[in-house]
Amino acid sequence: MQRTVTKSHASADELLQKFKIKVTGNIIWAGGITELLLSIAQFLLGNTVQALVILGAGIFFTLMAWRYQGRRIPIPIRVVFVALLTVISVMSIYLNGHIGVYWTYPLLVACFFVFSGAAGIVSAVALTVIFSSTAIVTMPLDDGWRIATTLIIICVLGSVFAVLLAELQKLLRKMVVTDTLTGLQNRHLVTQVLEQSIYSYARYGRAATLVMADLDHFKQLNDRYGHLFGDQILKQVAERLRTVLRKEDQLFRVGGEEFLIVLPSTKLEEAMRAAEKLRALVADSEFNGKNATVAITMSLGVAQLSKGQTWVEWLNAADTALLEAKRKGRNQVRKASKAQPEAQTET
């Protein structure tokens, strides 16, 4: 019976990107609405020029937030957002003295959210220099250097936070996409890698082939020796597979004893030879566990990417070939037939 491959949920990278888009959009919305309200206050105070500048900025920010709602706001728009608010803040310091300084702090912090990584740090440093210089020039020296010091402290702390957050994101991403037992990539990255291969094939004609591998009768080994013993064997299998693959090949653990290998720039016959090498690597040497030495075998299915295939169809083609290897007696390599079943189930 044809096994089906289900579509995975959004990847960690996609979820993080959506979160960043939402945060940036909310900041632009907040900036636009705040500027509109402030323009009214400035009109009432009789500061017509300042009110018109703030009103223009507020209208622009609100329109951009509405236009790009739910989408990534282009970098030029974000640059204009920070630049306009910087001009308004400098103007406020010049006209209102200490009261104008209050608006510099939220803008300084916002830089770390509007821009990512180094860009956020660079923009925050630039704003710190601009605001500190303005405060020192327009205010008494005792007040100016104190304000400059607080701005520098916020900039330094924000930069440290941005660096730590970036490192934490890298660590969390690694934890999400890495199988904790074998150290291989897990199924969270499969969709992304397959779609990239499909894009490379469609755009540049680069061939790509999948190898789906499954250890034979592994449940019996677990039942006889225990799951801890089985875990030891899985680690050793993963290490053997990893040692013979090329640097550009992608190796995943996608199930309990099931592995997926993506071979870029590889046609079917070359992939068949590689799969046979992997099969022999597992079958020809025994594995040493803590309490026993066992011999195991592995069945493999191979499928080259075809024109017009989706990643689900491609994956199911390799899976069908693997099931054929199981039906034909296991411990062998089978390639996908050209006529694959049309009924593919996606959920």
Side-chain angles (χ1 to χ4, degrees), residues 136-197:
I136 291 173
V137 170
T138 60
M139 298 179 188
L141 184 60
D142 286 347
D143 294 335
W145 75 260
R146 286 185 173 89
I147 292 171
T149 301
T150 60
L151 290 169
I152 291 171
I153 290 173
I154 291 176
C155 182
V156 171
L157 293 177
S159 299
V160 172
F161 173 77
V163 171
L164 291 177
L165 183 61
E167 292 299 319
L168 181 60
Q169 288 176 350
K170 290 179 182 178
L171 177 61
L172 289 175
R173 184 180 185 277
K174 184 176 181 181
M175 292 174 63
V176 168
V177 302
T178 302
D179 175 56
T180 55
L181 177 64
T182 62
L184 302 179
Q185 299 177 101
N186 61 27
R187 64 187 311 128
H188 283 94
L189 272 182
V190 169
T191 303
Q192 178 181 329
V193 171
L194 296 187
E195 288 182 341
Q196 180 59 45
S197 296

Side-chain angles (χ1 to χ4, degrees), residues 218-232:
F218 194 75
K219 184 179 183 302
Q220 297 177 12
L221 185 147
N222 274 332
D223 292 342
R224 181 175 181 181
Y225 297 104
H227 288 279
L228 291 179
F229 182 86
D231 288 347
Q232 293 176 335

